[in-house]
Amino acid sequence: MKRMSKCQYIRCLKTLSSTEDAPLRVLGNTYGRDSYTNISPHILAHTEKRLHLQKHHPIQIVKQRIVENMQAKYLWNNRSPLFSHHENISPVVTHAQNFDQLLVPTDHVSRQKQDNYFINSDMMLRAHMTCHDSDMIKSGLDAFLTTGDVYRRDTIDRTHYPVFHQMDGVRLFSPWELEEFAQDPKKFAAFQEGDNTPAKQGCHTEEAVKITEFSLKSTLVGLVQALFGRSKYRWVETTFPFTHPSWELEVLYQDEWLEVLGCGILKQDILNNSAVPNKIGWAFGLGLERLAMAMYDIPDIRLFWTQDDRFLNQFKVDNIHRPIKFEPYSNYTARSRDISFWVPDNFGENDFYDLVRNNMPVDTVEDIKLIDNFSKQGKTSHCYRLTYRAWDRHLSVDEANSLHEKLTEKVVAELGVEVR
């Protein structure tokens, strides 16, 4: 590998320094940078795209099918939709919205800089749509859906991308709304004093939880069957910081169990802090890419971001409920290249993945795998195998070699690794 000269290295440092000192512009607003700032130009470019609003895009189609199902089945007495839908909420949120309002512990792994895109020590790009639930509840809403783009630092492969789209749903009940489903409505109580158990929160009565759980699960089973047909399904107990009890819903799809959403009974402290201490509710969240990949046989998550008409035209349908099966239009040769280096103490894998995404031509790297990892004389070595493959063109051996050489130079210059 050709080394940079001292002058080239100094110019590189000056360029990085001037860029890092400049204010950060996100969706037309300006923010100061600080030690938290870790958003790359690659990620910033995605904040304007909002695939869930692009007509005939598979993300928009899945979103619309879910909204239509929820708004057609659940109505007020005047026949207007019970669930309102909100899909134009800015992805820029405070740390408090993303974590504190949802009772995420201060030492929880999901708060790490390695896992999030921070604008600065106060603001960030949301990591989930759930971060808007408290504000929606405070505004007076009892039943709502939110849809938008969310951002998480992640690995590079066919099923992971640092930007994806989520839909959240919330339904709140006053005690009198649950009474009619109680065994004895006159004796029904939604709240009590007690301790948390694996089955419920201490402040909820067992009967109130069972009624709320039935509402949640019947709603979501109906939704999943509207998307996948009358498939087999199962509930898997899990944990989330903001619900208890919590479940994941899996459907049997193409002979494999596919996780399609997470859900649970909202923790009462969230409702108490949102000015509705007298209500109980449920919430769910699902990833639109995961659903679209399964429903339409889309093999690579990078395809959602392409502007290639050979992909987009396959979803231009008059009826969004019409079955669609994606037909691959290319099978270009993959080029695998390895990179091995000694890692510094502050090395983070997601920093490496972000550097790759930010320096390669439009998602040219299909996959990165850690294929070797060992320690020797107090030093740690990683060896990664990168698979180069573009969806829109052929990559020659020379081009793959050139891309890999330039990437190696960037890794050394920006991450401080020592190539072996």
Side-chain angles (χ1 to χ4, degrees):
M1 183 189 74
K2 184 179 178 181
R3 295 182 177 274
M4 287 190 292
S5 68
K6 185 176 181 180
C7 290
Q8 288 175 318
Y9 185 70
I10 292 173
R11 282 199 300 269
C12 179
L13 288 179
K14 286 182 178 179
T15 300
L16 286 172
S17 177
S18 62
T19 301
E20 291 173 355
D21 291 340
L24 191 66
R25 287 191 61 79
V26 186
L27 297 173
N29 295 313
T30 302
Y31 302 90
R33 298 173 184 259
D34 58 27
S35 60
Y36 266 80
T37 308
N38 65 349
I39 298 179
S40 66
H42 174 80
I43 296 300
L44 282 179
H46 286 69
T47 59
E48 304 274 359
K49 297 184 178 180
R50 307 207 296 174
L51 302 184
H52 61 291
L53 300 180
Q54 296 183 20
K55 190 174 183 181
H56 298 306
H57 194 282
I59 297 298
Q60 186 268 344
I61 293 174
V62 175
K63 173 211 70 179
Q64 198 57 38
R65 288 189 61 177
I66 295 171
V67 172
E68 287 187 7
N69 174 270
M70 297 291 286
Q71 291 189 337
K73 288 182 66 175
Y74 305 99
L75 305 171
W76 292 107
N77 290 334
N78 64 2
R79 310 305 294 171
S80 62
L82 175 65
F83 287 88
S84 57
H85 181 220
H86 310 266
E87 57 182 355
N88 284 291
I89 310 172
S90 170
V92 177
V93 298
T94 64
H95 294 204
Q97 286 175 296
N98 200 78
F99 301 119
D100 301 335
Q101 290 181 2
L102 297 173
L103 311 180
V104 179
T106 55
D107 59 349
H108 196 272
V109 64
S110 65
R111 287 180 178 260
Q112 292 182 358
K113 192 173 179 180
Q114 276 292 314
D115 296 326
N116 298 283
Y117 288 106
F118 291 112
I119 294 173
N120 53 39
S121 56
D122 296 316
M123 309 299 293
M124 65 184 293
L125 295 180
R126 64 189 169 211
H128 44 203
M129 290 305 295
T130 314
C131 70
H132 300 292
D133 287 358
S134 181
D135 293 331
M136 290 288 179
I137 294 169
K138 287 177 183 177
S139 74
L141 295 176
D142 280 348
F144 58 86
L145 306 170
T146 58
T147 306
D149 42 328
V150 300
Y151 299 79
R152 295 182 196 170
R153 304 182 76 192
D154 214 336
T155 187
I156 295 178
D157 60 32
R158 286 174 173 244
T159 61
H160 292 88
Y161 203 79
V163 189
F164 56 104
H165 297 77
Q166 276 190 344
M167 176 176 284
D168 261 44
V170 169
R171 176 74 170 101
L172 304 184
F173 300 92
S174 296
W176 64 266
E177 293 178 278
L178 302 178
E179 280 180 4
E180 61 177 301
F181 303 101
Q183 193 168 17
D184 186 345
K186 293 182 179 179
K187 295 182 179 180
F188 174 77
F191 299 100
Q192 65 176 23
E193 291 185 3
D195 297 324
N196 286 357
T197 70
K200 70 178 191 69
Q201 299 168 53
C203 59
H204 297 153
T205 64
E206 183 176 348
E207 188 171 24
V209 171
K210 285 184 176 180
I211 296 171
T212 308
E213 178 183 339
F214 178 80
S215 167
L216 167 65
K217 290 184 174 180
S218 59
T219 298
L220 296 180
V221 168
L223 171 61
V224 167
Q225 289 183 339
L227 298 175
F228 290 94
R230 301 193 68 81
S231 303
K232 291 183 179 179
Y233 64 88
R234 67 183 183 188
W235 293 99
V236 180
E237 292 184 358
T238 188
T239 58
F240 298 115
F242 30 83
T243 56
H244 179 72
S246 307
W247 303 272
E248 290 172 343
L249 177 56
E250 298 180 349
V251 297
L252 189 62
Y253 183 74
Q254 295 182 350
D255 297 323
E256 293 186 0
W257 287 105
L258 173 71
E259 177 200 331
V260 293
L261 57 84
C263 63
I265 308 300
L266 276 167
K267 285 190 175 177
Q268 195 62 36
D269 280 346
I270 294 177
L271 301 183
N272 294 345
N273 296 337
S274 301
V276 285
N278 60 332
K279 294 187 178 182
I280 183 172
W282 53 250
F284 72 86
L286 53 82
L288 295 177
E289 276 84 350
R290 177 185 288 267
L291 293 178
M293 290 178 78
M295 292 166 60
Y296 305 134
D297 289 335
I298 298 172
D300 194 315
I301 197 169
R302 294 176 300 165
L303 281 167
F304 291 112
W305 300 95
T306 184
Q307 295 299 307
D308 196 317
D309 286 339
R310 292 175 295 177
F311 176 78
L312 298 173
N313 286 343
Q314 295 189 44
F315 300 91
K316 289 185 176 180
V317 294
D318 295 330
N319 181 2
I320 62 174
H321 300 281
R322 195 189 90 185
I324 303 172
K325 179 178 173 59
F326 171 67
E327 296 293 339
Y329 51 82
S330 67
N331 189 23
Y332 294 115
T333 304
R335 310 287 184 190
S336 295
R337 301 291 185 271
D338 294 349
I339 179 172
S340 301
F341 47 75
W342 300 106
V343 302
D345 292 339
N346 62 349
F347 176 79
E349 280 199 334
N350 284 338
D351 292 331
F352 175 51
Y353 300 142
D354 266 7
L355 186 147
V356 173
R357 287 190 170 105
N358 201 37
N359 288 279
M360 289 293 99
V362 193
D363 298 326
T364 309
V365 177
E366 176 181 276
D367 184 78
I368 297 180
K369 285 186 172 67
L370 178 64
I371 61 173
D372 190 30
N373 180 14
F374 69 89
S375 297
K376 182 179 180 181
Q377 297 179 343
K379 299 169 68 177
T380 300
S381 171
H382 287 185
C383 180
Y384 294 92
R385 177 156 296 157
L386 284 73
T387 301
Y388 294 86
R389 174 164 32 201
W391 268 94
D392 58 348
R393 60 192 176 85
H394 174 75
L395 281 181
S396 67
V397 172
D398 288 344
E399 185 178 3
N401 289 341
S402 176
L403 288 172
H404 194 65
E405 181 177 345
K406 291 176 181 177
L407 177 63
T408 303
E409 292 177 353
K410 282 282 188 181
V411 173
V412 171
E414 297 189 22
L415 299 184
V417 305
E418 179 186 347
V419 174
R420 292 199 295 114

